[in-house]
Amino acid sequence: MSKSFDDLLAKVSQCSRKTVSVAVAQDAPILEAVKAAKEKGIADAILVGDEAKIREVADQIGMDLTGYEIVNEPDDIEASLKAVKLVHDHKADMYMKGLLSTKDFLKSVLNKEVGLRNGKPLSHVCVFEIPGIDRLLYLTDVAFMTYPSLEEKKSIIENSVEVAHACGIPCPKVAPLAAVEVVNPKMPVTVENENGEITGCIVDGPLSMDLAIEPEAAIHKGATDRKIVGDADILLFPDIHAGNLVYKTLVHTTKCKNGCIITGTDAPVILTSRSDTFEVKLNSIALAAVVAESLKANK
């Protein structure tokens, strides 16, 4: 079981070599992450975009492009379609956003002819390594689903459970979070509880954040009979506001590590923010590689 990103990187080394297809690759932080991923044996890359600009940026950061396949396409929209088609056609294993708007990137993911949609709802999973917590935490959804319905929350759980399985957790514990850990009809999220239809995991909700991640809280609150007693693996947020606030609090106040992907697609989709660090981009490629290996094995 991967308890840290070092464990995750070790798991990548056990996988077959993966290839990431990058849409509009003429971006220094993305090329730096791709370069490090190749050097660490995580993944090779196909760079799709304006070749002259890609070479110019690579030269600026001291990146030798020998050994990289470059697909020259100056138009950003066409570049995204060509990049995603490489994954669609199984010429690459995962799809990554470069110097392209999120809106246009997601349009390529959802393209009916060359995209990666498989009929399932898409959702975002962010994996955190946090000092003081002895395992990786899987946060969902902090960036994609806004106000998920009960049915959509089931899909979010299924998507995140697939990621946890890929990372070596055979039966992850899922905590649907709320402000309290008891059902209150005046608080709708406390009554939206999964009823055993999802396999391969344990779901126990509603749970307050302290009961989900702090074992001492279960003792103090007399809740040691719960399925989850401070040992949750997956934190399911009621809406994007709660998830995004927790995400940014962790990123800006703790010395944590994280990586994130879009799930519910035929192949992992790496969607990082322009403000994300080099390490987040590299961790996201590693996470996607592990998930891609799992998807390949299951198929």
Side-chain angles (χ1 to χ4, degrees):
M1 181 176 73
S2 299
K3 293 187 175 183
S4 67
F5 274 98
D6 285 342
D7 290 346
L8 202 61
L9 289 171
K11 194 172 182 66
V12 172
S13 67
Q14 301 169 15
C15 303
S16 59
R17 185 88 171 196
K18 297 293 181 287
T19 300
V20 56
S21 177
V22 184
V24 193
Q26 56 266 26
D27 179 69
I30 292 293
L31 288 182
E32 287 174 345
V34 164
K35 176 176 178 286
K38 185 177 181 69
E39 291 172 346
K40 291 178 179 290
I42 298 171
D44 294 319
I46 302 175
L47 309 176
V48 185
D50 188 318
E51 183 171 358
K53 292 181 179 178
I54 290 173
R55 293 190 178 279
E56 180 183 348
V57 174
D59 186 61
Q60 291 171 356
I61 64 173
M63 179 179 180
D64 183 0
L65 291 175
T66 303
Y68 290 92
E69 180 180 347
I70 301 175
V71 178
N72 183 38
E73 178 51 71
D75 183 84
D76 289 356
I77 301 301
E78 288 301 314
S80 68
L81 293 175
K82 288 183 178 180
V84 77
K85 188 175 188 296
L86 289 168
V87 185
H88 179 273
D89 294 344
H90 307 294
K91 295 178 181 178
D93 304 286
M94 41 204 182
Y95 182 41
M96 186 172 192
K97 174 182 172 291
L99 193 61
L100 180 72
S101 73
T102 297
K103 179 181 177 181
D104 289 334
F105 179 74
L106 290 174
K107 279 184 178 179
S108 67
V109 173
L110 301 175
N111 185 278
K112 292 181 179 179
E113 295 180 0
V114 298
L116 302 174
R117 192 157 195 173
N118 58 18
K120 296 195 298 184
L122 275 60
S123 61
H124 183 275
V125 178
C126 191
V127 181
F128 270 91
E129 177 185 337
I130 304 170
I133 295 181
D134 64 352
R135 63 196 178 280
L136 293 173
L137 286 181
Y138 300 74
L139 278 61
T140 189
D141 186 322
V142 307
F144 193 80
M145 285 266 195
T146 52
Y147 299 98
S149 65
L150 178 58
E151 197 62 33
E152 287 170 333
K153 286 178 181 177
K154 291 180 181 178
S155 296
I156 292 173
I157 291 174
E158 290 170 344
N159 289 345
S160 57
V161 165
E162 283 187 2
V163 176
H165 284 172
C167 294
I169 305 176
C171 189
K173 293 187 175 184
V174 183
L177 296 174
V180 295
E181 58 274 358
V182 294
V183 173
N184 183 343
K186 293 182 180 180
M187 303 174 72
V189 298
T190 69
V191 298
E192 293 180 346
N193 200 8
E194 192 277 325
N195 61 5
E197 296 176 9
I198 303 173
T199 59
C201 64
I202 295 170
V203 182
D204 181 14
L207 277 182
S208 56
M209 179 66 86
D210 53 348
L211 277 185
I213 64 172
E214 177 51 63
E216 287 293 323
I219 297 173
H220 294 320
K221 290 187 173 184
T224 54
D225 58 339
R226 299 288 298 247
K227 297 176 185 177
I228 295 175
V229 285
D231 56 351
D233 300 295
I234 298 171
L235 304 180
L236 174 67
F237 292 96
D239 57 45
I240 196 170
H241 298 296
N244 199 266
L245 287 168
V246 170
Y247 171 87
K248 288 178 178 172
T249 299
L250 288 172
V251 167
H252 293 289
T253 64
T254 69
K255 293 184 178 180
C256 62
K257 297 180 181 179
N258 76 87
C260 49
I261 58 173
I262 294 287
T263 57
T265 47
D266 279 333
V269 173
I270 306 166
L271 174 61
T272 55
S273 169
R274 292 281 297 169
S275 62
D276 281 332
T277 64
F278 156 81
E279 186 179 52
V280 171
K281 292 176 172 63
L282 180 61
N283 289 340
S284 298
I285 296 173
L287 176 63
V290 170
V291 174
E293 179 76 4
S294 179
L295 289 173
K296 179 181 177 182
N298 290 335
K299 287 180 180 178

